[in-house]
Amino acid sequence: MLGHRSRPKKGEWRIPCGIGVWAESSESAFSMDSGTTASAVWTAEDTLLLTIRLYETPMRLTLPCRFQGDTLTVDGTVIGIFGPPEVRLQGRQVAPKSAG
């Protein structure tokens, strides 16, 4: 099982995500009093498609995650909110800091 983790100003959201199945959570996410269901499928060798839905709302996030070497790019769509419907995130894998 995968998970999405976000650290907004008020706390932290953890959203469990199933691979090929829906994983449900009753925890509130995105500052809304709504549980979530999330699923992921591989659509290509380098692309994992995450879908997150919030219960009792029209909100849905569709997040294609593309892996290329040590780079991850997420070009997503948010349905059911006011404001920009597209999301773009990009990150790089970094070596963990050594303890000591």
Side-chain angles (χ1 to χ4, degrees):
M1 182 176 306
L2 292 176
H4 167 76
R5 182 172 156 179
S6 179
R7 291 185 180 168
K9 291 181 182 178
K10 295 182 181 179
E12 178 176 282
W13 301 315
R14 291 180 184 229
I15 301 173
C17 183
I19 300 288
V21 296
W22 291 96
E24 298 181 18
S25 174
S26 60
E27 288 191 37
S28 296
F30 307 105
S31 300
M32 298 181 168
D33 291 328
S34 176
T36 62
T37 186
S39 183
V41 295
W42 287 98
T43 58
E45 188 175 306
D46 64 347
T47 305
L48 182 68
L49 178 63
L50 298 173
T51 302
I52 302 171
R53 296 175 185 239
L54 276 69
Y55 291 130
E56 300 177 11
T57 76
M59 190 169 175
R60 180 182 75 223
L61 288 85
T62 304
L63 306 169
C65 303
R66 290 184 185 83
F67 299 88
Q68 295 176 325
D70 65 352
T71 301
L72 169 64
T73 303
V74 180
D75 287 310
T77 304
V78 181
I79 305 286
I81 65 166
F82 298 104
E86 281 104 25
V87 175
R88 177 162 196 140
L89 306 169
Q90 191 166 36
R92 286 198 172 311
Q93 179 180 357
V94 295
K97 294 180 181 179
S98 60

